[in-house]
């Protein structure tokens, strides 16, 4: 008799139950086949930037199990609760399985050919009438490296526009600019090993306990093992991170800009700096000040070489004299005594000091400046490029580093730290891509906020969104939603589920997700992780690379992607890898990644990874005897920037008396399109709440779980109050999460952004609160 | 085992099959009641009552099965027990997995109670003692296995009081922390939010009968 | 469609009667009864919720001490249906 798959499963279910009670039984033939029929493959987790390794169990074309990979160096078999239910992100209700085309108010099923031909005709039409800069693509830090690379080559090398952006503009852009203008190369010198090896950790506005769960568990273990380890949480609300920290220092929103300056002031005033390190490695610079906030459309602000003034160390010290601890206290709310203390901690020669930060610093109207200032702390004290002693910018998406930053899917970038404005960079890129250098535009494309505003202004005719959900995640989102609903542009959205963005699309394309395709991600610590396709995507869903290349063929650009069907991923990888070799960002041959749980670049000629950059102890680009060498910076000297205090774009006033801040929690991820479809996570945390300080709540007469109306100048929402729950904001501020797709929380957020990084400030705007 | 009977000696299953009784309270309270209430066997026969319920034996005598507490409950957490509850038929119960008690600060259920079965002297929600949460299955608890779950802890309305995290070194990985949720019975009100939010198919944290604190002279 | 292997514990003397009661449920197949009162069964339901309900009902059978999950599979057999 032939056993059906169901019989197999049932037989193995019974066998497993027998095994659980220690009885072995004669099992029906086939049971073993069903059991041993599981093939396990490795992949990085689909969610955050930590980059946990998971094992994926596949049987009969379906994922039947996932588990943390014990061989994974990041997580050693562990996961957070999102990772535990990882496979359910693919098997949620409502997967998109067929292309859909808008016919009036209805979305009608279509074939791939119809959909792609329609998209191509719209793009061609727009390009013919308004030029290539009238079309755009908006991608993701969740794109695989291959997807980002395909998009970049297609848009920049094929269509001839730099209107290509990743959603990483909303999370990592300030970190990127900070790395580039300080070190001349993106991404950290340190790595996760610093969490095990250091003894002092200063968190700047980061709720690591919830946003980087497994990493936090690693950091706390260092504390458990070594009682001298100190964790200082500087933040605007008390969180689960605070609970495990040795010290919490309350700071006013935007206060970091003043606090770090004041700490530097003390380091300089009391000569706590490392003079020889400074002499050897640091230049002092002053940039452009009185910067705008990006609130006006088409506002341009650039820091060109002409705007930059060189300073001597003495001039720099003189300039910093104004930022006294007393001044710092006034602006940041951190007591002057604490500022003095922090300066002593940062410069304590017996302490290995690490700074950690994420969105608190990056989603900041002066985010680049705060990144610069944190680097100054480490550069002045020489606490950098040493095992266990580094600044570490944490990322939030699985391939914000690998794809958005390394491939360079931003409007101004090309692969491996190169930029479109630089002729030599365009030439090198064109050479590798096998195209005429003139094809790559020297004009920086529209950054994310301007890209979507351009839809409202009617200037952008076509946009293709892949693997992200901007019509929920962008600030001041109602303006952008209205523009889309008014059909001001032709909008294509590729995703795996219906989202707030597919709602406004003209064409919806069903995508393959995660292990339904082959891919590579790059995490926070420069770790590049590869996985193979393990299962087929549902229905007619297709990988984003396939979608883009089929579109390219219809645009007459198929020649850009001459890879064979069988060698597709390897061939594209080897082409991309050419950008990275010899420039300090070296990636390994494709096969190397198939065997390991990731490698941290630059990968050395012998195939070994690099844990610490710019130091002779580990980096192959630094010769023995050179100590620390910032070889990516001009003249091997990095920049310490003078960055003064400038206020936030919007502050509380009489009418809108509260600060409003948004962020993440552990159970859900981003806009909740995946985690919201995992019943267990939905049960644990069904929706967004508004966190308030108990005294504020009492004053307004709000009790726990009361419905509260929160109104900003841009929008209004009603949320249940959470008082004395998992987190408590400081008095005068409220906090909520952005995962809940039933609440468009970002309607309230101001679309102010950092003038250098163009990253919006999701952490600060003014709202009023009343009981609903 | 509980000392007070929560059902008669008629087999629950038989009772259900043979039962034609529709208690008045069932009709009053509307939807949720028709659902057969079956507490996990792990609750040890314990029935979770609304806040302020007096001891079970006296409660069964005092409760007039009017359903007013259920009507007053804004979250419909309070349901009226069906036939399987035996002598407790028509009395108010809370099934945390369906809807736990969200601890309204004004305790509307107690205010609505006409009989004194819910003690009106109780005014402070933190003084409520409906039961005590207990991690009944340590081997399955994801947090105790080293995963970053701790959902019960973060959802606990008395976070850091009724449930705290006891971090300890994970000897298996050698570099992570096991963040174990620990329930403190002197603070736990037994609202069942932890039981409701547990992500496993069978909650590993369950509200059980409160065991009195056993006092002696050791103080540490 | 979820399929699970379960181990039901009950008092040794009641195992047979419990097994019979269990077998009466739709979606439950009893695969074995051990002398110490452990019953091995396979549970099948249309949805995970249905499965949870079914398991909860099994727990309520008189004399059942506990129901433990030993194996869980949630793949979709849609493709296999004729």
């Amino acid at each position: 008799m032939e056993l059906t798959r169901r019989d197999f499963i049932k037989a193995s279910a019974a066998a497993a139950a027998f095994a659980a009670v220690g009885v072995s039984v004669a099992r029906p033939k086939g049971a073993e086949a069903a059991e041993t029929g599981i093939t396990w493959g490795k992949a990085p987790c689909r969610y955050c930037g930590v980059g946990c390794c998971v094992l994926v169990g596949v049987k009969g074309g379906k994922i039947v199990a996932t588990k943390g990979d014990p061989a994974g160096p990041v997580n050693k078999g562990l996961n957070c609760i999102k990772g535990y239910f990882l496979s359910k992100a693919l098997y949620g209700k409502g997967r998109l399985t067929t292309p859909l085309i808008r016919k009036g108010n209805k979305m009608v099923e279509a074939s791939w050919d119809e959909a792609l031909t329609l998209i191509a005709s719209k793009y061609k039409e727009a390009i013919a009438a308004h030029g290539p800069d009238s079309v755009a693509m908006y991608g993701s830090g969740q794109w695989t490296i291959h997807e980002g690379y395909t998009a970049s080559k297609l848009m920049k090398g094929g269509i001839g526009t730099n209107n290509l952006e990743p959603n990483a503009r909303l999370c990592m852009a300030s970190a990127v600019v900070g790395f580039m203008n300080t070190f001349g190369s993106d991404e950290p010198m340190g790595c996760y090993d610093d969490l095990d090896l250091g003894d002092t950790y200063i968190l700047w506005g980061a709720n690591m306990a919830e946003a980087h769960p497994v990493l936090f568990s690693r950091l706390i273990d260092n504390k458990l093992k070594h009682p001298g380890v100190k964790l200082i949480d500087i933040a605007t609300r008390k969180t689960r991170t605070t609970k495990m920290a040795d010290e919490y220092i309350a700071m006013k929103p935007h206060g970091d800009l003043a606090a770090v300056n004041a700490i530097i002031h003390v380091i300089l005033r009391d000569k706590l700096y490392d003079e020889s390190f400074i002499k050897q490695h640091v230049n002092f610079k002053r940039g452009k000040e009185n910067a705008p906030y990006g609130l006006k459309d088409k506002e341009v602000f650039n820091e060109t070489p002409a705007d930059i003034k060189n300073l001597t160390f003495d001039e720099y010290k003189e300039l910093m004299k104004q930022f006294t601890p007393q001044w710092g206290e006034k602006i940041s709310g951190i007591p002057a005594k604490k500022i003095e203390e922090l300066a002593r901690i940062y410069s304590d020669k017996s302490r290995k000091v690490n700074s950690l930060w994420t969105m608190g610093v990056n989603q900041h109207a002066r985010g680049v400046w705060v990144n610069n200032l944190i680097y100054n702390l480490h550069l002045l004290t020489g606490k950098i490029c040493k095992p266990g002693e580094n600044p570490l910018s944490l990322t939030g998406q699985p391939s914000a580093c690998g794809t958005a930053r390394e491939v360079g899917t931003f409007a101004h970038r090309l692969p491996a730290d190169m930029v479109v404005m630089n002729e030599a960079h365009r030439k090198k890129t064109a050479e590798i891509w096998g195209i005429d250098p003139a094809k790559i535009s020297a004009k920086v494309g529209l950054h994310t906020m301007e890209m979507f505003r351009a839809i409202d202004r009617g200037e952008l005719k076509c946009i293709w969104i892949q693997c992200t959900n901007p019509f929920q995640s962008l600030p001041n989102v109602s303006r952008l939603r209205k523009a889309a609903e008014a059909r001001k542009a032709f909008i294509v959205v590729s995703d795996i589920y219906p989202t707030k963005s597919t709602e406004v699309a003209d064409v919806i394309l069903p995508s393959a997700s995660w292990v339904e395709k082959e891919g590579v991600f790059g995490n926070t610590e420069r770790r590049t992780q590869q996985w193979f396709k393990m299962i087929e995507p549902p229905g007619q869903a297709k990988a984003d690379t396939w979608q883009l290349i089929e579109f390219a063929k219809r645009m007459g650009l198929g020649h850009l992607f001459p890879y064979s069907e069988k060698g597709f991923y390897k061939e594209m990888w080897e082409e991309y890898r050419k950008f990275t070799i010899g420039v300090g960002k070296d990636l390994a041959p494709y096969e190397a990644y198939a065997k390991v749980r990731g490698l941290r670049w630059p990968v050395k000629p012998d195939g070994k990874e690099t844990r610490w950059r710019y130091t002779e102890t580990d980096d192959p680009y630094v010769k023995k005897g050179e100590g620390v060498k910032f070889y990516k910076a001009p003249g091997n000297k990095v920049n310490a920037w003078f960055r003064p205090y400038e206020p936030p774009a919007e502050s509380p006033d009489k009418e809108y008396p509260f600060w409003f801040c948004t962020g993440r929690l552990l159970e859900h991820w981003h806009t909740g399109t995946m985690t919201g479809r995992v019943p267990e996570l939905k049960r644990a945390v069904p929706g967004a709440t508004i966190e308030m300080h108990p005294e504020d709540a009492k004053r307004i007469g709000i009790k726990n779980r009361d419905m509260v109306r929160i109104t900003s100048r841009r929008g209004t929402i009603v949320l249940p109050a959470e008082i004395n729950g998992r987190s408590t904001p400081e008095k005068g501020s409220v906090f909520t999460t952005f995962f809940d797709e039933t609440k468009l929380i970002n309607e309230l957020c101001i679309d102010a952004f950092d003038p250098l990084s163009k990253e919006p400030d999701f952490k600060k705007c003014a709202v009023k609160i009343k009981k609903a | 085992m509980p000392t007070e009977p929560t059902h008669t000696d008629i087999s629950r299953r038989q009772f259900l099959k043979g039962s034609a009784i529709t208690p008045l309270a069932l009709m009053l309270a509307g939807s949720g009641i028709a659902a057969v209430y079956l507490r996990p066997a792990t609750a040890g026969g314990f029935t979770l009552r609304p806040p302020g319920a007096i001891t079970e034996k006296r409660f069964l005598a005092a409760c007039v099965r009017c359903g007013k507490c259920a009507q007053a409950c804004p979250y419909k957490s309070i349901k009226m027990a069906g036939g399987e509850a035996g002598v407790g038929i028509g009395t108010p119960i809370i099934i945390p997995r369906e809807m736990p008690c969200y601890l309204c600060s004004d305790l509307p259920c107690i205010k609505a109670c006409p009989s004194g079965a819910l003690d009106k002297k109780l005014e402070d929600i933190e003084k409520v003692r409906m039961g005590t949460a207990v991690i009944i299955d340590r081997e399955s608890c994801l947090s105790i296995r080293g995963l970053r779950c701790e959902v019960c802890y973060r959802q606990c309305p008395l976070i850091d009081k009724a449930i705290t995290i006891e971090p300890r070194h994970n000897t298996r990985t050698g570099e992570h922390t096991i963040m174990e949720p620990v329930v403190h019975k002197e603070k736990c009100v037994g609202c069942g939010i932890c039981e409701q939010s547990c992500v496993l198919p069978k909650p590993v944290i369950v509200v059980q009968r409160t065991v009195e604190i056993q006092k002696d002279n050791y103080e540490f | 469609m979820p399929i699970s292997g379960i181990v039901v514990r009950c008092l040794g003397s009641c195992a047979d009667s419990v097994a019979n009661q269990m077998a009466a449920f739709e979606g439950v197949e009893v695969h074995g009864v051990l002398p110490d009162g452990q019953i091995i069964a396979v549970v099948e339901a249309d949805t995970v919720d249905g499965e949870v309900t079914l398991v909860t009902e099994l727990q309520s059978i008189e004399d059942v001490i506990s129901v433990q999950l030993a194996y869980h599979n949630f793949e979709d057999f849609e493709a296999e249906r004729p």
Side-chain angles (χ1 to χ4, degrees), chain A residues 454-509:
Chain A
I455 296 177
D456 188 32
R457 295 196 301 263
E459 292 164 14
L460 194 69
K461 305 297 177 190
C462 296
I463 185 168
W464 189 340
I465 297 156
Q466 282 194 334
C467 202
T468 184
N469 188 8
F471 290 99
Q472 179 173 344
S473 64
L474 290 171
N476 194 12
V477 72
S478 45
R479 171 184 176 189
L480 312 172
R481 288 185 67 83
K482 270 182 213 142
E485 280 158 6
R487 312 250 67 81
K488 288 191 180 179
F490 178 76
I491 300 172
V492 183
V493 178
S494 302
D495 213 316
I496 65 170
Y497 291 112
T499 66
K500 295 309 278 184
S501 300
T502 60
E503 249 175 45
V504 298
D506 293 280
V507 177
I508 301 173
L509 301 174

Side-chain angles (χ1 to χ4, degrees), chain A residues 357-370:
Chain A
W357 69 96
T358 326
M359 292 307 118
V361 168
N362 291 345
Q363 292 176 339
H364 193 305
R366 295 291 178 266
V368 173
W369 289 14
V370 184

Side-chain angles (χ1 to χ4, degrees), chain A residues 279-490:
Chain A
K279 214 172 240 164
Q280 202 186 339
H281 300 293
V282 184
N283 282 329
F284 291 91
K285 298 261 165 90
R286 179 172 190 172
K288 204 168 160 182
E289 286 150 25
N290 297 312
Y293 295 92
L295 286 164
K296 288 192 209 100
D297 278 31
K298 293 189 166 180
E299 195 167 68
V300 179
F301 181 89
N302 285 311
E303 198 170 67
T304 61
D307 301 314
I308 296 165
K309 198 174 162 239
N310 290 317
L311 301 172
T312 64
F313 188 27
D314 285 332
E315 285 169 336
Y316 175 71
K317 280 195 272 193
E318 194 56 40
L319 277 170
M320 290 301 293
K321 277 190 179 155
Q322 54 186 309
F323 304 128
T324 62
Q326 289 69 31
W327 168 86
E329 171 172 347
K330 208 174 81 199
I331 310 248
S332 72
I334 300 177
K337 219 178 88 216
K338 265 293 161 229
I339 289 171
E340 300 263 357
E341 219 175 277
L342 284 165
R344 296 222 140 46
I345 290 171
Y346 263 107
S347 51
D348 185 339
K349 295 230 172 354
S350 68
R351 285 198 166 271
K352 291 184 167 185
V353 184
N354 296 270
S355 302
L356 298 158
W357 69 96
T358 326
M359 292 307 118
V361 168
N362 291 345
Q363 292 176 339
H364 193 305
R366 295 291 178 266
V368 173
W369 289 14
V370 184
N371 271 274
N372 287 152
L373 290 170
I374 293 174
Y375 292 135
N376 288 358
L377 288 171
H378 288 264
L379 292 171
L380 290 171
T381 56
K383 289 177 186 286
I384 193 164
C385 303
K386 293 174 188 157
E389 197 162 26
N390 279 301
L392 180 64
S393 153
L394 299 162
T395 63
Q397 298 193 86
S399 201
C401 286
T403 305
R405 297 164 67 171
E406 290 160 29
V407 173
T409 60
F410 289 93
H412 63 297
R413 286 187 79 166
L414 292 168
D417 290 343
M418 297 195 293
V419 288
V420 297
M421 304 81 91
N422 183 312
E423 195 183 346
H425 292 178
R426 291 198 303 276
K427 204 164 154 268
K428 180 177 176 181
T429 305
E431 217 164 273
I432 294 175
W433 284 351
I435 58 167
D436 176 2
K439 191 73 208 175
I440 304 172
S441 169
K443 188 181 154 205
V444 175
L446 296 168
H447 62 78
T448 296
M449 283 317 298
E450 269 300 302
M451 190 179 270
F452 284 87
R453 287 171 178 177
I455 296 177
D456 188 32
R457 295 196 301 263
E459 292 164 14
L460 194 69
K461 305 297 177 190
C462 296
I463 185 168
W464 189 340
I465 297 156
Q466 282 194 334
C467 202
T468 184
N469 188 8
F471 290 99
Q472 179 173 344
S473 64
L474 290 171
N476 194 12
V477 72
S478 45
R479 171 184 176 189
L480 312 172
R481 288 185 67 83
K482 270 182 213 142
E485 280 158 6
R487 312 250 67 81
K488 288 191 180 179
F490 178 76

Side-chain angles (χ1 to χ4, degrees), chain C residues 38-72:
Chain C
Q38 297 192 93
I39 300 163
I40 311 301
V42 171
V43 174
E44 191 183 358
D46 288 333
T47 62
V48 174
D49 284 347
E51 188 185 22
V52 171
T53 314
L54 192 52
V55 169
T56 317
E57 285 179 30
L58 292 178
Q59 276 166 347
S60 75
I61 295 177
E62 200 71 28
D63 302 318
V64 166
I65 298 166
S66 74
V67 179
Q68 284 181 348
L69 202 62
Y71 179 94
H72 184 62

